[in-house]
Amino acid sequence: MDPDLRKTAAQVLDDQWRPPGFTCPNATTYPWLWLWDSCFHAVVNAELGRADRAVAELTCALSAQDGDGFVPHLQYLDGSHAHQELWGRPRTSSITQPPIYAAAVVELAERGVEVPDELVDRSRAGLRFLLEHRRRSPAGLVQIVHPWESGCDHSPRWDDLMGGEFDQGEWFDRKGALLATIERSPGGAPLHNPAFPVGSVAFSALVAHGARRLGTHLGDRSLRAAAEELAGDLFERWDPGRRTFIDDGPTSMGSGRVRTAEALLPVLVADPGRHRRIVGEVAAELDDPDAFAGPYGPTQVHRAEPSYSPGSYWRGPSWPQIDLLLWWGLRSVGDVAAAAGRLAAATVRGAVTSGWAEYWDSDDGAPGGARPQSWTTVAVLMDQGNETT
Ligand code: GLC
């Protein structure tokens, strides 16, 4: 463990700490609360021994949960009315992001943090909403209602439904339009979008992973069973030829097959016995310099994909939070520990070389997006795993 790394991480988080108790992702570009970012910040704070901040941030992140269990992904806690028209409501967004809060509760508890019951209950309710009320795809995957719910906003996985070639401006307009077609519960929770009915392997993997971790932690058999069922459906989506998991729904014959790093996230719920071969292939892809591997962390899009663009937002560079999740998945399977260690070491190198950027070029660590970005402090979690370089 590198004490300097931990010191800088603590500084980045301190500088971006905001009332009433959350870390903004970046002071200028992202001044508000984003759901999955805050969950990562909470785990890093727990790792740094700052239990109060860890609990405060998770509390804040889950505080806008509604009666259906739905958790909005953005909160404007400074009283700003920005984007109110876009979301059709004040103070929060009207869609969610991956439910990292469930894994975060367990990560905090494992570090000796006393997690209030209310946080545990809210995490469970958030998962239940996604597992029981969110529409499933024909193959049983959890649908997202909007690309922003994935957290991987401009991933080539969405290309088929975004009306053609990637264009930042046009995509933004299309994303605005897609908000209008979301079908909601009477209370306003997003359930389904007929214009974007994507069974996302990445999002489903994060739901299953959260449910497995929290279910195991609490001894909640029904949560555990729901996780295992979803994990089983996810492993049916493995394509041995393309060596990726395929999304279900309208993109399954097209952009839902693009090889992206986030599409490998089902490794998080692999059964070490049954899925050993697939996990080995995922690790090999992430470790192969002609596929994803890079000296500063894995690329987010496979290098041989036509859409691969090493410097572009969600079209190629390395993203620290995706790298962390992949590492969590790989390190739980013994055979691939060396590849997992290399991935972790490369990501830590990328975080430092890029100056704690939001994302960076896998080949030279050149920074991209906002800087410093709070979630890049997840490097301190991965610093423990870099036994192999
Ligand atoms: C971008 C990312 C999203 C993240 C947000 C704040 O919109 O795509 O995943 O939550 O920035 O960091």
Side-chain angles (χ1 to χ4, degrees), residues 25 30 34-37 73 97 148 150-153 313-314 319 321 358 373 375:
Y30 303 113
W34 268 263
L35 178 60
W36 75 328
D37 299 63
H73 89 298
Q97 264 186 339
W148 285 332
S150 70
C152 309
D153 298 13
Y313 181 73
W314 286 116
W319 289 77
Q321 84 288 13
E358 180 181 1
Q373 178 86 352
W375 68 17

Side-chain angles (χ1 to χ4, degrees), residues 70-145:
F70 158 67
V71 187
H73 89 298
L74 248 164
Q75 292 187 59
Y76 302 89
L77 292 160
D78 57 359
S80 156
H81 295 285
H83 311 147
Q84 187 164 326
E85 301 257 304
L86 182 74
W87 303 122
R89 57 174 76 181
R91 292 182 296 279
T92 76
S93 69
S94 49
I95 57 172
T96 195
Q97 264 186 339
I100 306 296
Y101 41 79
V105 162
V106 182
E107 293 284 328
L108 263 55
E110 285 178 354
R111 288 173 173 81
V113 176
E114 215 169 294
V115 182
D117 289 347
E118 193 193 337
L119 275 186
V120 176
D121 292 344
R122 283 181 181 265
S123 293
R124 192 183 346 218
L127 287 175
R128 288 240 166 268
F129 165 72
L130 293 169
L131 286 163
E132 291 163 18
H133 300 297
R134 181 50 71 85
R135 183 75 63 86
R136 295 292 181 106
S137 72
L141 303 193
V142 180
Q143 290 185 356
I144 51 176
V145 300

Side-chain angles (χ1 to χ4, degrees), residues 279-300:
V279 175
E281 289 179 25
V282 168
E285 288 287 280
L286 290 168
D287 208 26
D288 176 357
D290 291 325
F292 291 95
Y296 296 88
T299 61
Q300 178 251 329

